[in-house]
Structure formats: C-alpha cells, structure tokens
Amino acid sequence: MKARKIVDEMDSYVPGKSQGEIAEQFGLNKDEIIKLGSNENPWGPSPKAMEAIKAEIKSINRYPESQLHELVEEIAKYADVNENQVIIGGDGADEIIDVLAKTFIDEGDEFIVPLPSYMYYEYLLQQYGAHPVYARWDLDKNELDADSIFDAITDKTKMIFLCSPNNPTGTLIKKEVLADIADKNPEVLIVIDEAYFEYSEVTNKDLIDEYDNIFIIRTMSKVLGLAGMRIGYGLACEQIIEYMHRIKPVFSLTRLSFVAALNTFRDTEYIRDSIEKGIESRQYLYDELSKIDSLNVFPSKSNFMLIDIRKTGFTASELALELMKKGIIVRDCTSFKGLDEYWIRISICTLDEDKKFIEIIKEVLN
C-alpha cells in the first residue's frame, strides 16, 4: 500500500526521550531520573483537578461534553476575552494548529517559520500540502529578525508562525513587531504561539480585538500542569473561531480532560504558585549555569533555556548521552532546524532537582 506522496517524503517529528526509555537503556530507577527535556510543570497538577478526575471516572461510559460551555467561560475569564473568541482543542495546542491548517490551508500555500522555532508547525501543515518558507532568529542578538519575515512573504503566504516566548530560544517578540507584521499583511494569518506566556507575564491577547488576522495559541501543558491530558485553546476574532468550529472534531476532549481543565482554571492559587515556582527555578538555573565558563546560557522568559555548549568539547548528542547515563534528561537540539550540533535546551525542575542537575553537569564537564 503506497502512502500519499507528502507522507512518503516527510521526516518524522523527533520528541524528547521519556524517563522510561532512559531507565531501560541505562539500567536506572525511573523514579530517580530528572527530566529537563520536555518543558513540563514538575510540581504536578492541581489537587482540585485530580479530585475532579476521580469523581468523573464513573461517567466515562458516556460521551463527553460537545459544546464545552463551562470551560469556554472559564478560559474567556482567564484570558480576559469574549467567549466567542475561544476555541478548545483536545490534543493540546497541536490540535489547534491542525484545525487551523484544515480550515485555512490549500495545497500549494506557503507558511513562514523563523528558525530556530517549534518544528511541529511544519510537521502538521506539510500534511495538507503547504510549503514552509524559513525566516530567521538572530541568535547573536537573541531576537527575531523581523526583516527576514517581510523578505519571506510572497503572494502564496497564508500563515506566519511566531512563538513568543520562542521555543527553543526563550525570546519574547515585541508587541509592536507583531502588530506591524499583522498590519502590513491583512490577508495573512499571524499565528502567535503563547504556550509559555504565563512564565513571561506578557500576552498579546489584546491584538485580537485590533486585527482580525491574528490567532493566539495556548496550552494547558505548561504552567497549568496538564501535559498528560492534552488540552489546548486558541484566541481570535469571532469569524476565525466560527470557521474553525465547522472543522473541529466534536468530541475531542475526554470527560476526564474536561473536568481537569475546568477545575484547574478555577484553582487560582495553584496557577499563581506554579508561575512563582517556575520563575524561581528558571532564575536559579540561569544564575548557576552562567557561572560555568564553557556554557553560553540564553536568558529566558519561559520555563526552559537554550545553552550553547560548543566550548565544552562535547556535541549536544554527546553531552546529552553523558547526562542520561547519570539520570538527567536534557533536550539535544541537533534536530532543530536553524541550530547546529552544539545546542541543548533544559527546562525547569524543582529546586532539589535543579541542584542535583547542577552538581552532575559540573561533574560531567570537569
């Protein structure tokens, strides 16, 4: 059986390694492995979400909610937008991107991604016959090269993906730059990925009232501690949301993910605590790693940071392997387009785990 041409030509997306994989490969205790490779919330989910899941288990023989009114109301309140400006996805932010593609992409369209950035945009949109065009991040200045965006735009450009804070650089894009790109390209959808906005304490959500060609992606997998439940949402003008609801699967949220999301948004103390702990961990890691002369650590507004390791004598794959042997998972960024083989990315952990990581990386580098 022959797959579609685009499927045959595509490269597979390369996710970070799991604790189970590392434990089996190196004979380690899974529970003692420190995972700094996937940008998760290391403190666990909201207690209110866990209680709600337990109470809902008896109902999993029934189909889930289809209209999600209660959750839409909570998200609108959290994001400070109108309810008709919200759409919810049941496979994290990935489903939101997929529905965007199904709604707006025709075969032969182009989309722009500045490199390096989150590569899943490319992985999803190529499935629908769209072609990636690459702009760039200026790694020397640690900022978006806005001119490269404008230079990449053609009459085939349908979307521009701008991640802020950017993954993997941790960089914010200035709001005036985003507004300028949207203003000068009214027929192009400007997709702003705010998966990590809580850690930066900066949002561009007010732009959706000014521009009907701006779409904001968010997720519950980071600050909100529900990576395993796979919930994402999008914010945009009413017309875009209405179009997307024509395409979106009706039952994409499970009953358990629905109640977990609902009760997490209602647990404001948990959310505030997650943000504060995340920022504290990020600052500790940045301060301690910056003391190691062979590392060039990028300042970050997210829950991760990018590190140039070329002065260590290791490549990213070599250093990641040495750390894995000692029970530490980091992200080897060799597969990220726009980066060479000398970059790793680490994400926040508990302070105890942070301290153990700092001890081990010093041991490996020395």
PDB file of all heavy atoms in Angstrom, residues 54 85 124 135 155 170-171 190 202 232 240 247 260 319-320:
ATOM      1  N   LYS A  54     -11.132  11.937  39.701  1.00  0.00           N
ATOM      2  CA  LYS A  54     -11.591  10.778  40.480  1.00  0.00           C
ATOM      3  C   LYS A  54     -13.116  10.707  40.502  1.00  0.00           C
ATOM      4  O   LYS A  54     -13.708   9.632  40.350  1.00  0.00           O
ATOM      5  CB  LYS A  54     -11.062  10.868  41.912  1.00  0.00           C
ATOM      6  CG  LYS A  54      -9.565  10.678  42.034  1.00  0.00           C
ATOM      7  CD  LYS A  54      -9.120  10.880  43.483  1.00  0.00           C
ATOM      8  CE  LYS A  54      -7.608  10.827  43.613  1.00  0.00           C
ATOM      9  NZ  LYS A  54      -7.161  11.103  45.005  1.00  0.00           N
ATOM     10  N   GLN A  85     -14.577  34.288  21.260  1.00  0.00           N
ATOM     11  CA  GLN A  85     -13.193  34.409  20.763  1.00  0.00           C
ATOM     12  C   GLN A  85     -12.327  33.231  21.191  1.00  0.00           C
ATOM     13  O   GLN A  85     -11.114  33.274  21.072  1.00  0.00           O
ATOM     14  CB  GLN A  85     -12.571  35.716  21.272  1.00  0.00           C
ATOM     15  CG  GLN A  85     -13.244  36.979  20.728  1.00  0.00           C
ATOM     16  CD  GLN A  85     -12.675  38.252  21.344  1.00  0.00           C
ATOM     17  OE1 GLN A  85     -12.535  38.363  22.565  1.00  0.00           O
ATOM     18  NE2 GLN A  85     -12.350  39.217  20.492  1.00  0.00           N
ATOM     19  N   LEU A 124       2.891  19.569  10.904  1.00  0.00           N
ATOM     20  CA  LEU A 124       1.444  19.494  10.698  1.00  0.00           C
ATOM     21  C   LEU A 124       1.002  20.090   9.363  1.00  0.00           C
ATOM     22  O   LEU A 124       0.207  19.495   8.638  1.00  0.00           O
ATOM     23  CB  LEU A 124       0.705  20.186  11.845  1.00  0.00           C
ATOM     24  CG  LEU A 124       0.624  19.407  13.153  1.00  0.00           C
ATOM     25  CD1 LEU A 124       0.006  20.265  14.258  1.00  0.00           C
ATOM     26  CD2 LEU A 124      -0.201  18.141  12.980  1.00  0.00           C
ATOM     27  N   ALA A 135      12.242  32.070   7.764  1.00  0.00           N
ATOM     28  CA  ALA A 135      12.842  33.339   8.178  1.00  0.00           C
ATOM     29  C   ALA A 135      13.876  32.997   9.251  1.00  0.00           C
ATOM     30  O   ALA A 135      14.266  31.839   9.388  1.00  0.00           O
ATOM     31  CB  ALA A 135      11.769  34.285   8.686  1.00  0.00           C
ATOM     32  N   ASP A 155       3.023  36.097  -2.535  1.00  0.00           N
ATOM     33  CA  ASP A 155       1.569  36.067  -2.731  1.00  0.00           C
ATOM     34  C   ASP A 155       0.975  34.709  -2.385  1.00  0.00           C
ATOM     35  O   ASP A 155      -0.250  34.541  -2.372  1.00  0.00           O
ATOM     36  CB  ASP A 155       1.202  36.458  -4.164  1.00  0.00           C
ATOM     37  CG  ASP A 155       1.856  35.565  -5.213  1.00  0.00           C
ATOM     38  OD1 ASP A 155       2.590  34.615  -4.839  1.00  0.00           O
ATOM     39  OD2 ASP A 155       1.629  35.805  -6.414  1.00  0.00           O
ATOM     40  N   GLY A 170      13.646  30.995  24.073  1.00  0.00           N
ATOM     41  CA  GLY A 170      13.105  31.668  25.252  1.00  0.00           C
ATOM     42  C   GLY A 170      12.842  33.142  25.060  1.00  0.00           C
ATOM     43  O   GLY A 170      12.553  33.861  26.009  1.00  0.00           O
ATOM     44  N   THR A 171      12.931  33.603  23.805  1.00  0.00           N
ATOM     45  CA  THR A 171      12.863  35.027  23.494  1.00  0.00           C
ATOM     46  C   THR A 171      11.437  35.513  23.312  1.00  0.00           C
ATOM     47  O   THR A 171      10.617  34.844  22.696  1.00  0.00           O
ATOM     48  CB  THR A 171      13.620  35.301  22.167  1.00  0.00           C
ATOM     49  OG1 THR A 171      14.856  34.595  22.177  1.00  0.00           O
ATOM     50  CG2 THR A 171      13.857  36.784  21.969  1.00  0.00           C
ATOM     51  N   ILE A 190      -1.528  35.668  11.134  1.00  0.00           N
ATOM     52  CA  ILE A 190      -0.363  35.736  12.018  1.00  0.00           C
ATOM     53  C   ILE A 190      -0.677  34.893  13.252  1.00  0.00           C
ATOM     54  O   ILE A 190      -1.530  35.253  14.070  1.00  0.00           O
ATOM     55  CB  ILE A 190      -0.049  37.192  12.430  1.00  0.00           C
ATOM     56  CG1 ILE A 190      -0.089  38.128  11.217  1.00  0.00           C
ATOM     57  CG2 ILE A 190       1.285  37.247  13.161  1.00  0.00           C
ATOM     58  CD1 ILE A 190       0.826  37.740  10.079  1.00  0.00           C
ATOM     59  N   VAL A 202       3.666  38.184  29.998  1.00  0.00           N
ATOM     60  CA  VAL A 202       3.379  39.077  28.868  1.00  0.00           C
ATOM     61  C   VAL A 202       2.439  38.346  27.919  1.00  0.00           C
ATOM     62  O   VAL A 202       2.659  37.173  27.602  1.00  0.00           O
ATOM     63  CB  VAL A 202       4.662  39.463  28.106  1.00  0.00           C
ATOM     64  CG1 VAL A 202       4.322  40.258  26.848  1.00  0.00           C
ATOM     65  CG2 VAL A 202       5.602  40.263  28.997  1.00  0.00           C
ATOM     66  N   GLY A 232      -5.497  22.194  24.682  1.00  0.00           N
ATOM     67  CA  GLY A 232      -5.022  23.479  24.203  1.00  0.00           C
ATOM     68  C   GLY A 232      -6.201  24.371  23.867  1.00  0.00           C
ATOM     69  O   GLY A 232      -7.348  23.912  23.818  1.00  0.00           O
ATOM     70  N   ILE A 240     -12.967  33.869  12.710  1.00  0.00           N
ATOM     71  CA  ILE A 240     -12.000  32.772  12.634  1.00  0.00           C
ATOM     72  C   ILE A 240     -12.451  31.601  13.495  1.00  0.00           C
ATOM     73  O   ILE A 240     -12.406  30.438  13.062  1.00  0.00           O
ATOM     74  CB  ILE A 240     -10.602  33.258  13.073  1.00  0.00           C
ATOM     75  CG1 ILE A 240      -9.998  34.175  12.004  1.00  0.00           C
ATOM     76  CG2 ILE A 240      -9.670  32.074  13.347  1.00  0.00           C
ATOM     77  CD1 ILE A 240      -8.657  34.750  12.378  1.00  0.00           C
ATOM     78  N   ILE A 247     -14.884  22.723  11.383  1.00  0.00           N
ATOM     79  CA  ILE A 247     -13.935  21.661  11.074  1.00  0.00           C
ATOM     80  C   ILE A 247     -13.579  20.814  12.286  1.00  0.00           C
ATOM     81  O   ILE A 247     -13.360  19.607  12.188  1.00  0.00           O
ATOM     82  CB  ILE A 247     -12.634  22.281  10.499  1.00  0.00           C
ATOM     83  CG1 ILE A 247     -12.931  23.044   9.212  1.00  0.00           C
ATOM     84  CG2 ILE A 247     -11.560  21.226  10.272  1.00  0.00           C
ATOM     85  CD1 ILE A 247     -13.420  22.185   8.077  1.00  0.00           C
ATOM     86  N   ALA A 260     -10.729  18.107  34.369  1.00  0.00           N
ATOM     87  CA  ALA A 260      -9.395  18.514  34.829  1.00  0.00           C
ATOM     88  C   ALA A 260      -9.126  19.960  34.445  1.00  0.00           C
ATOM     89  O   ALA A 260      -8.638  20.760  35.263  1.00  0.00           O
ATOM     90  CB  ALA A 260      -8.329  17.601  34.235  1.00  0.00           C
ATOM     91  N   LEU A 319      26.938  15.228  24.996  1.00  0.00           N
ATOM     92  CA  LEU A 319      26.658  15.692  26.355  1.00  0.00           C
ATOM     93  C   LEU A 319      25.343  15.115  26.867  1.00  0.00           C
ATOM     94  O   LEU A 319      25.239  14.704  28.031  1.00  0.00           O
ATOM     95  CB  LEU A 319      26.619  17.221  26.390  1.00  0.00           C
ATOM     96  CG  LEU A 319      26.357  17.854  27.771  1.00  0.00           C
ATOM     97  CD1 LEU A 319      27.394  17.391  28.793  1.00  0.00           C
ATOM     98  CD2 LEU A 319      26.339  19.378  27.676  1.00  0.00           C
ATOM     99  N   ALA A 320      24.316  15.080  26.000  1.00  0.00           N
ATOM    100  CA  ALA A 320      23.031  14.512  26.408  1.00  0.00           C
ATOM    101  C   ALA A 320      23.195  13.054  26.832  1.00  0.00           C
ATOM    102  O   ALA A 320      22.596  12.606  27.822  1.00  0.00           O
ATOM    103  CB  ALA A 320      22.020  14.627  25.273  1.00  0.00           C
TER     104      ALA A 320
END
